[in-house]
Amino acid sequence: MGEPTFTIFSDANCPGWAEGFAELLREGSAINVDFADSLDAAIDGESDVLILNLGRRDDEKLSPEQVALLGKRRVIAMAPGVDWLCRQLDDLEVHGGMVSQDLPMVVVDSDLLGEGSPKVPMKPFAQPQERSEDWTPQTPLVYWGTTDIDEFRPSVDYIVATEHYDKCAVVMRHANFVYAGVCAHPREWSVEYRDLMRRVALALSRTPVSDLKPLVVERQIHPPGTVRFDLERSTHHESVNWRMFYFRFDRSTVFTATLEHAGSNAMMLLFSGGKERLHWTRVDTEVGKTLTITANISAASIRAVRHRYWMLNVTNFDSENGASAKLTIRYDTTDSDMSVLPLPGDAGFEHLNRHAQQLLEGARGGDSSACERIARYDSTVEPGRVGMDTAYRVTAREFGFNDWTTIKSHVAWTPVWLPKEGTRGVDISFAQASERYVESFSFEELIEFTGDFNDDVIDSLKEAFAQARARGHRSLVGEHLLLALLTNPISDHVLRSVGCKFDRIPAKIDALLARLPVEPLDGDVQVSRSAWGPVYRANFVNALGRDGTNAGNLLAGVVGEKGDAARLLNECGVYERDLVNYVSHGIASVLASDPHPSASVLAPDLERAAHDAFLSAQSSRHEYLTIEHLLLAMLGSQPVLDTLESFDAGNLGRDLATFIEAGTPVVSAPGDGSEPTRTFNRVMQMALAKARSRERDQANTLDALWALCGERDVPSTDFLTRCGVTRATVAPWLS
């Protein structure tokens, strides 16, 4: 046998990586190394070993032919893109999951290299890495698997484990595929890790190619019912602060997990299925709140999970208190001749409402299929007397849910602001920042620790710190933040759009700040807990069309913190729900006059339409603000009217109004309801994405009309399609 041959391909953002690995291979011998120009060329090659250093490419897919070729090749794949590649090869059971800097590692006994020697920790990098949250593509990191390394033995060969988490691997092999989790230029690797990777590459080149086969691990399947258990507090490595439950389904099932608990102030429930983590859902809570996860498991999802399991993780993150838990698992299935309808992953209230309305119309019209569906679930109701309550109840049952309330909550828009009991998260993050910046937690450290402030917010923060210093205040508090935000054009527009009474704010802030002690400063103004709270909470508020933390996020964070600044804003007519409606959905409670050009991501015509739609839903006491409300309001926009003149849309407004009046649930008391649906939010997001694809900063009503046409199985799309209005026919009208 001659010298082994290697092909190296690297497209990670690490210049000279391929050449650096080639140098490593050639140390001490003349090894034949080629370089591939693309991943396609690398996969198609015929060398003994393929070395891949991949950048992130989460949305790409390998062809079935490429997957088959990789399954028959010897491969060493490096982070950061290795997990993407592992997902492409569905039978692979090696993967990452966690990431650290400068993680000590230990070589363990393996089939590939033999006995792991010496049994002493080694560092992955030649130079010590300082802890930092500001990672770039060039930052040396260690990606390591979270799976117990004993789980898939002997089929998976573990080569390097983490020192402190001795059941987790950094380098591991399944068949011909080696996962290597140290992400850096080979010249930055430690001498020990360089030597290890050369040994791995040479040993793999001499290993016979074996078939890649599914690995089936027998686990205890958790049945429906209730189980009680205790979890220890979350300490370092030995505490048993979590439990994992495994499930398999043989037919379409609505899975519901309910966790009641006591003792802990930080509990988590996490559900997912198989390697692709289908139906991934995580819910967290504090102070004893019950957690519930509901997932509609379709036959297609069951097939996709294959031989793997659905998993439910219960974890206690409280470092001070243990937890007593009561977990109830329920399967809702139908008889074999009454199969559960698959619920699309993006289904919203509008989708379900359409289904129920069509069922009602069919039953009242004598349609035999609709009447049979009604009788299947409720034989006591005469078809001609079917009401909306019956249609809703049958719809829920057809999708596998027990009742309309449960399925409606399953698809409803989830509020995006941090719950009121989020004070513990603020306390923990502030303690982390204070521990990191022992000497000084000032402006520069705040920017570094958070890392995603927009430029306009940075300017406002500079102003807030300057105000604090000018007033002789040692600490930055929430009132300083609010005072600085008043002159920010984005926050000014947000406040005007929620009906803020501006004339009362500055004097009230001055009165609050006057209470603070004034003292000489011998250093920088420091960030206080009351200033950190709004910053922390701001990251939980999704701002429509804006990346990072902007002034709108920060205002919502100020109100959510419930301090003096929040109480002041409440007195001036600014409330959390109104702020989130505008920041996240573009729904203004008051139309601001003469807006600053960069203050809003929505053009005035779309902002007015969203405002009018909201007022209409509120005045009618409708439970949800739907895209039907939005479409009807958009018919008052001249650009939309001009566009629809080319279509048979004369009755569109009348049909929409009739449907909204008859088909939208109402709430019992004024002031409740009219929550924007997830479909409403998606349409606004898509409208803005379309505008930016046309190099415009603001979305208008035509962009929203185009976005509406893309929704599936919802009433508004039905009405538009009947008129001949589709994305293809609207696109030429977009500027």
Side-chain angles (χ1 to χ4, degrees):
M1 180 182 294
E3 289 291 336
T5 59
F6 296 85
T7 297
I8 304 176
F9 171 71
S10 173
D11 68 349
N13 195 348
C14 190
W17 191 97
E19 292 76 9
F21 199 91
E23 292 173 6
L24 178 155
L25 288 174
R26 290 167 175 156
E27 290 176 358
S29 60
I31 289 179
N32 186 356
V33 180
D34 291 326
F35 302 100
D37 295 330
S38 67
L39 181 58
D40 292 347
I43 295 173
D44 290 338
E46 297 181 353
S47 59
D48 293 316
V49 180
L50 177 57
I51 312 292
L52 300 175
N53 183 47
L54 302 176
R56 299 192 66 86
R57 43 165 44 86
D58 291 337
D59 294 332
E60 295 183 27
K61 292 285 187 183
L62 292 175
S63 69
E65 293 77 17
Q66 290 176 313
V67 170
L69 284 173
L70 279 173
K72 298 180 180 300
R73 296 209 59 184
R74 302 180 185 92
V75 179
I76 302 177
M78 314 283 177
V82 60
D83 275 341
W84 168 84
L85 190 61
C86 291
R87 290 195 302 272
Q88 303 298 299
L89 278 68
D90 190 44
D91 287 332
L92 274 182
E93 295 296 351
V94 294
H95 60 86
M98 300 293 288
V99 60
S100 304
Q101 289 179 269
D102 219 7
L103 188 70
M105 309 180 303
V106 178
V107 179
V108 297
D109 296 346
S110 63
D111 291 339
L112 185 67
L113 299 184
E115 184 177 348
S117 179
K119 294 290 194 305
V120 294
M122 68 173 176
K123 291 296 186 73
F125 309 115
Q127 300 296 326
Q129 301 297 311
E130 295 184 4
R131 182 179 177 183
S132 171
E133 302 298 330
D134 300 325
W135 296 344
T136 71
Q138 286 76 39
T139 301
L141 298 170
V142 180
Y143 293 78
W144 45 286
T146 56
T147 305
D148 185 328
I149 66 172
D150 293 328
E151 183 175 26
F152 293 106
R153 279 181 169 159
S155 298
V156 174
D157 188 21
Y158 297 95
I159 301 165
V160 176
T162 58
E163 178 191 18
H164 297 302
Y165 308 94
D166 58 359
K167 294 293 186 180
C168 301
V170 177
V171 182
M172 47 195 145
R173 177 177 66 97
H174 181 186
N176 319 307
F177 190 100
V178 173
Y179 175 106
V182 176
C183 176
H185 195 290
R187 299 190 188 104
E188 295 180 307
W189 292 345
S190 66
V191 172
E192 294 83 2
Y193 189 73
R194 284 177 61 88
D195 176 66
L196 174 87
M197 290 310 299
R198 187 173 188 277
R199 290 167 55 206
V200 167
L202 293 175
L204 185 65
S205 71
R206 296 188 289 266
T207 302
V209 175
S210 57
D211 292 335
L212 185 60
K213 299 177 180 178
L215 302 182
V216 179
V217 177
E218 293 301 325
R219 305 189 189 278
Q220 181 178 351
I221 304 298
H222 189 70
T226 298
V227 60
R228 298 175 185 270
F229 54 93
D230 293 327
L231 297 175
E232 297 179 17
R233 64 190 180 96
S234 177
T235 55
H236 289 293
H237 314 304
E238 287 80 27
S239 65
V240 184
N241 67 314
W242 61 276
R243 286 263 318 251
M244 186 75 79
F245 300 89
Y246 297 93
F247 310 89
R248 276 201 173 130
F249 307 106
D250 59 4
R251 57 176 170 160
S252 297
T253 302
V254 177
F255 169 88
T256 304
T258 303
L259 180 71
E260 302 169 73
H261 62 95
S264 169
N265 290 320
M267 291 291 286
M268 178 198 78
L269 201 59
L270 175 64
F271 178 75
S272 65
K275 189 174 184 178
E276 292 294 328
R277 301 196 301 174
L278 299 179
H279 288 278
W280 190 96
T281 309
R282 172 175 173 167
V283 288
D284 294 75
T285 191
E286 304 170 356
V287 294
K289 182 180 177 182
T290 297
L291 294 175
T292 299
I293 288 177
T294 300
N296 192 319
I297 312 298
S298 68
S301 295
I302 294 170
R303 289 193 297 271
V305 168
R306 300 176 62 213
H307 59 282
R308 296 184 175 90
Y309 296 83
W310 299 82
M311 297 160 287
L312 182 72
N313 180 284
V314 183
T315 298
N316 173 26
F317 285 113
D318 193 329
S319 60
E320 298 177 357
N321 304 298
S324 296
K326 174 185 174 183
L327 178 67
T328 301
I329 301 297
R330 193 180 82 226
Y331 298 167
D332 289 324
T333 61
T334 59
D335 296 333
S336 59
D337 61 339
M338 298 163 63
S339 59
V340 176
L341 293 174
L343 189 65
D346 61 352
F349 168 78
E350 290 90 340
H351 178 95
L352 296 178
N353 203 36
R354 173 184 183 267
H355 190 93
Q357 289 285 343
Q358 290 179 338
L359 176 62
L360 177 66
E361 293 171 4
R364 286 181 172 176
D367 178 75
S368 59
S369 174
C371 294
E372 288 173 6
R373 289 161 57 195
I374 296 287
R376 183 180 302 164
Y377 294 101
D378 194 341
S379 59
T380 65
V381 179
E382 297 179 19
R385 295 178 166 233
V386 172
M388 207 59 231
D389 287 346
T390 300
Y392 282 147
R393 185 168 60 253
V394 172
T395 292
R397 295 295 295 155
E398 287 187 321
F399 282 106
F401 289 77
N402 282 345
D403 53 70
W404 175 251
T405 300
T406 303
I407 189 174
K408 188 175 60 175
S409 65
H410 181 64
V411 302
W413 172 262
T414 302
V416 290
W417 59 87
L418 190 65
K420 307 300 183 295
E421 58 267 21
T423 50
R424 179 171 175 79
V426 177
D427 290 339
I428 292 173
S429 62
F430 184 64
Q432 291 172 338
S434 300
E435 181 182 1
R436 178 172 175 180
Y437 303 113
V438 177
E439 300 297 326
S440 174
F441 185 22
S442 186
F443 173 75
E444 288 79 10
E445 291 77 25
L446 177 62
I447 301 300
E448 178 186 62
F449 190 76
T450 305
D452 63 349
F453 287 119
N454 288 356
D455 290 342
D456 66 297
V457 176
I458 291 177
D459 291 339
S460 293
L461 289 171
K462 287 180 181 177
E463 174 63 22
F465 276 93
Q467 283 278 352
R469 172 168 285 281
R471 292 169 184 258
H473 298 155
R474 183 175 296 277
S475 297
L476 183 80
V477 296
E479 291 72 54
H480 293 120
L481 280 179
L482 179 57
L483 186 62
L485 286 172
L486 294 181
T487 58
N488 181 295
I490 293 177
S491 56
D492 175 85
H493 181 76
V494 170
L495 288 170
R496 293 182 188 280
S497 299
V498 296
C500 179
K501 300 179 180 65
F502 267 91
D503 55 328
R504 302 166 58 187
I505 294 183
K508 286 180 174 289
I509 295 179
D510 283 334
L512 289 171
L513 292 176
R515 301 176 190 172
L516 299 180
V518 177
E519 49 190 314
L521 298 180
D522 55 1
D524 294 329
V525 174
Q526 300 296 294
V527 177
S528 73
R529 164 64 172 72
S530 80
W532 174 250
V535 172
Y536 174 83
R537 292 174 183 273
N539 290 322
F540 289 82
V541 181
N542 300 321
L544 184 64
R546 297 187 190 275
D547 295 325
T549 301
N550 65 46
N553 297 90
L554 204 49
L555 272 176
V558 168
V559 175
E561 183 59 12
K562 304 304 176 189
D564 287 339
R567 285 188 285 273
L568 190 159
L569 284 173
N570 290 164
E571 292 172 8
C572 296
V574 179
Y575 301 98
E576 186 174 31
R577 176 181 170 182
D578 294 335
L579 273 174
V580 173
N581 270 348
Y582 186 71
V583 171
S584 295
H585 312 298
I587 304 166
S589 50
V590 176
L591 286 175
S593 59
D594 302 321
H596 188 280
S598 64
S600 176
V601 295
L602 303 183
D605 63 333
L606 183 52
E607 199 151 288
R608 174 173 288 280
H611 167 75
D612 291 347
F614 181 66
L615 290 185
S616 174
Q618 282 282 78
S619 64
S620 300
R621 300 213 309 258
H622 287 158
E623 185 176 11
Y624 293 112
L625 171 61
T626 67
I627 56 175
E628 285 73 51
H629 290 104
L630 178 63
L631 179 56
L632 182 60
M634 284 166 47
L635 297 183
S637 164
Q638 195 59 49
V640 172
L641 287 175
D642 292 342
T643 301
L644 293 180
E645 282 185 358
S646 302
F647 302 92
D648 183 19
N651 296 326
L652 179 58
R654 183 199 64 192
D655 293 343
L656 277 168
T658 301
F659 176 84
I660 291 170
E661 181 65 27
T664 308
V666 298
V667 292
S668 56
D672 294 336
S674 296
E675 291 287 344
T677 64
R678 74 163 76 180
T679 316
F680 185 101
N681 184 266
R682 183 167 60 239
V683 164
M684 300 300 272
Q685 298 280 8
M686 288 299 298
L688 187 58
K690 188 62 175 177
R692 289 181 172 169
S693 73
R694 300 297 180 102
E695 300 184 345
R696 288 184 276 108
D697 293 330
Q698 294 183 321
N700 57 40
T701 48
L702 288 183
D703 297 312
L705 181 63
W706 177 88
L708 277 164
C709 292
E711 290 297 320
R712 297 174 299 170
D713 298 329
V714 294
S716 59
T717 308
D718 292 342
F719 291 125
L720 289 170
T721 303
R722 288 177 207 157
C723 301
V725 183
T726 65
R727 279 190 169 179
T729 57
V730 170
W733 293 85
L734 301 179
S735 59

